[in-house]
Every structure is written in C-alpha cells, then in structure tokens.
Amino acid sequence: MTDKVIITCAVTGAIHTPTMSDHLPITPDEIAEAAIGAAEAGAAILHLHARDPQTGKPDQSVEAFAPFLGRIKQSTDAVVNITTGGSPYMTVDERTKPAAKWSPEVASLNMGSMNFGFYPLLAKYRTFKHEWEREHLEGSRDLVFRNSFKDIEYVLETCYDNGTRFEFECYDISHLYNLAHFADRGLVKPPFFVQSVFGLLGGIGTHHEDIMHMKRTADRLFGKDFRWSVLGAGKDQFRIATQAVSMGGNIRVGLEDSIWISRGKLAESNAQQVTKARSIIEGMGLEIASPAEAREMLSLKGGDAVNF
C-alpha cells in the first residue's frame, strides 16, 4: 500500500466561528451530513468536534456528540476520530470525556503545550453573529493551550484500555520529541499516526523547509514506525498538502483547518476540499486509501469495536 494516501477530513473544529462562513457545520445534522459527504468524496478518516447547535460555540460534552456519531456510523464505513483537543479553553478532563465514553477507533492527542493565537482573525470581521465569537478570538492573545506531560498521560491512560489509537497532533518539532519520550516509556505503541500541523500562530510556520524539517525529524526519531500526515492552516492548506504528498505523506483537510477552497473563495463544503485533495493525490499517480486500507495501515481495532 505504498501508493495509498489517507485523507482525513476535520469537519468543523473549534477555531472558526459561525460569522466566518455560512458553510461551517454547526448543528448535529449539519455535522453528520458534512462528514458523510466527505467520506463519499474520499475521506477515509473523519475528525470530529461538536458545537452548540444554537450558537455554534464548541461543546465537548458527551451528549453533544451523540446525535451525529450513530448516524455517521450507519451511513459510512469511514474511521471516526473524536477530538481530545476540544477547545484550548477547556480542561483536559472536559476534552477527554467524549473519547472515553464513545471509544472511537482514533482520538486526536495534542503533544505539547503552546501559545495558541487566533486573535489576528479579529481584523477581518467588524461584527459577529454571537457575542462569544469576539471573546473567543480576543482571549487567545493570552492563551496557553495546556498539554503537559501529565495531561498527555491522562488521555493515554483514559483511552488506551478501549483500544483507541491516536492521531498525534504535533504543532512543533518539540512535540515529536515528546511523542518519542512516551514511546521510549512504552506508553504508546507503533505505528504512530503523526499529524504535523503547520501555520497556527504559536506553532511551526508554513515554509517548505519547515515541512521538510518536520519529516526529517520524524524519520530520525521513529524510522519505519510511523505514518506521517500533515495539515496546513488557512490559505496554505493545499500548498502544504501537495508538498507532503510528494514526500510520501498523508493529508488532512476540512473546514476545521481552513474555510477556503482557493484564494479568496470560501469552500462550500468539506466534500469540496476532499475532492480537491483527491485530485492532487491522483494527479501524482497515487491512490487514496479506503477506510479498510487506512485501518490496516494504522492497526486500528475496527468500526465494530466502538461504543456508538
């Protein structure tokens, strides 16, 4: 399967707010429909957050995920990946509860603490649909997204007994070393699904040398024991995806990571981004991985072993 490329679609996230795009999935029905559409377009993995259906504010309660998890499972064979990142404003206990309850095949896991600034988006919008949006953005001037070693251990210990494996989100080079630390201690087992994140203010940048440095470091630390994937935030999403695919990587797209389909043009759906990602992959003479192939590549437990 060396020519198979996994597409992950991150459907809604917790950074973008309703004012920024009318196409951002908010309600359970919208999230389910967006996820199913992304899977039909070629996404093998669906990375999921939940939101308050009235305001669009990130909601990491167990109950918020219930309305769409079952529907997605019934409608597609895609791998479900539940966030443990939630929102940077939440505690690690809040963030972990949905994955602990629903026991997905994959859960995301942020591999280090960092400044997490999305306040520059304030300059693009004069008014907001909901009061929380401005506070959400402005608050990130003084926001440290806490993911201490103790926090990471907590997520691992809470979820590993369920057979859940992890999308290790690495926003900087140090996060790769943190993952290597947990591997050396035997708390995580290969193959490691390493998601390198580029372009978030507070993390590594988007220069082509940054992408190469991340890959070189992961190669040195993990050898053949990892599967590399990348996501580029905002306008650099597809440029970074293209470079990563050319380097043998997998890619993540979706309205969590970027609300754009091209410069100055909003994406109308998650499926539209997946379709564009697929065209990049196939244009290089490669093939997208099916959900079954992604499960084999990442040694996942299977969709019949989840709790939804």
Side-chain angles (χ1 to χ4, degrees), residues 25-63:
I26 299 297
T27 69
D29 281 347
E30 290 169 349
I31 292 170
E33 290 166 6
I36 294 164
E40 291 173 346
I45 300 177
L46 303 169
H47 174 76
L48 301 175
H49 288 243
R51 292 178 180 261
D52 182 308
Q54 301 302 318
T55 66
K57 189 174 183 178
D59 184 348
Q60 198 67 5
S61 66
V62 167
E63 296 77 15

Side-chain angles (χ1 to χ4, degrees), residues 170-191:
C170 296
Y171 293 75
D172 218 332
I173 296 298
S174 62
H175 295 183
L176 294 173
Y177 281 91
N178 291 349
L179 176 57
H181 163 76
F182 285 103
D184 289 343
R185 292 174 56 192
L187 296 181
V188 294
K189 305 294 183 184

Side-chain angles (χ1 to χ4, degrees), residues 91-301:
T91 67
V92 69
D93 180 61
E94 289 178 281
R95 288 158 37 195
T96 308
K97 283 180 178 177
K101 165 65 176 178
W102 301 114
S103 186
E105 293 183 77
V106 179
S108 64
L109 178 54
N110 298 69
M111 291 310 296
S113 300
M114 59 183 290
N115 292 339
F116 207 84
F118 33 93
Y119 63 88
L121 292 170
L122 281 166
K124 298 184 177 182
Y125 306 93
R126 293 186 177 181
T127 60
F128 291 91
K129 293 179 180 179
H130 305 282
E131 184 176 345
W132 73 268
E133 297 179 67
R134 186 180 298 278
E135 297 171 353
H136 177 74
L137 299 176
E138 181 61 43
S140 71
R141 291 184 193 271
D142 190 30
L143 176 63
V144 175
F145 189 9
R146 174 182 163 140
N147 295 283
S148 67
F149 292 110
K150 182 178 180 180
D151 292 339
I152 294 169
E153 283 190 39
Y154 175 80
V155 177
L156 292 172
E157 291 170 356
T158 301
C159 297
Y160 245 146
D161 285 346
N162 292 335
T164 296
R165 294 183 64 83
F166 294 93
E167 172 199 25
F168 296 105
E169 294 192 0
C170 296
Y171 293 75
D172 218 332
I173 296 298
S174 62
H175 295 183
L176 294 173
Y177 281 91
N178 291 349
L179 176 57
H181 163 76
F182 285 103
D184 289 343
R185 292 174 56 192
L187 296 181
V188 294
K189 305 294 183 184
F192 310 120
F193 185 33
V194 175
Q195 189 72 258
S196 294
V197 183
F198 300 93
L200 265 294
L201 184 60
I204 198 168
T206 60
H207 193 275
H208 66 270
E209 289 287 351
D210 293 327
I211 289 89
M212 294 170 68
H213 185 35
M214 270 276 200
K215 179 61 162 58
R216 284 193 299 261
T217 304
D219 282 337
R220 177 165 45 81
L221 291 174
F222 308 118
K224 296 180 179 180
D225 286 340
F226 79 109
R227 294 284 183 173
W228 187 52
S229 184
V230 306
L231 74 88
K235 63 182 178 61
D236 296 301
Q237 181 182 56
F238 288 105
R239 176 180 62 79
I240 291 172
T242 301
Q243 181 179 349
V245 172
S246 73
M247 296 168 63
N250 305 281
I251 56 177
R252 182 174 123 174
V253 294
L255 297 186
E256 170 175 348
D257 303 332
S258 173
I259 56 175
W260 308 102
I261 190 63
S262 59
R263 186 171 295 275
K265 185 177 181 181
L266 290 171
E268 296 180 3
S269 67
N270 283 273
Q272 187 182 27
Q273 288 191 352
V274 173
T275 298
K276 184 171 180 176
R278 180 173 187 165
S279 70
I280 291 169
I281 293 164
E282 294 176 344
M284 293 186 184
L286 304 172
E287 297 179 11
I288 63 168
S290 67
E293 289 166 337
R295 289 184 172 97
E296 182 179 348
M297 294 163 72
L298 301 176
S299 299
L300 304 182
K301 64 182 180 179

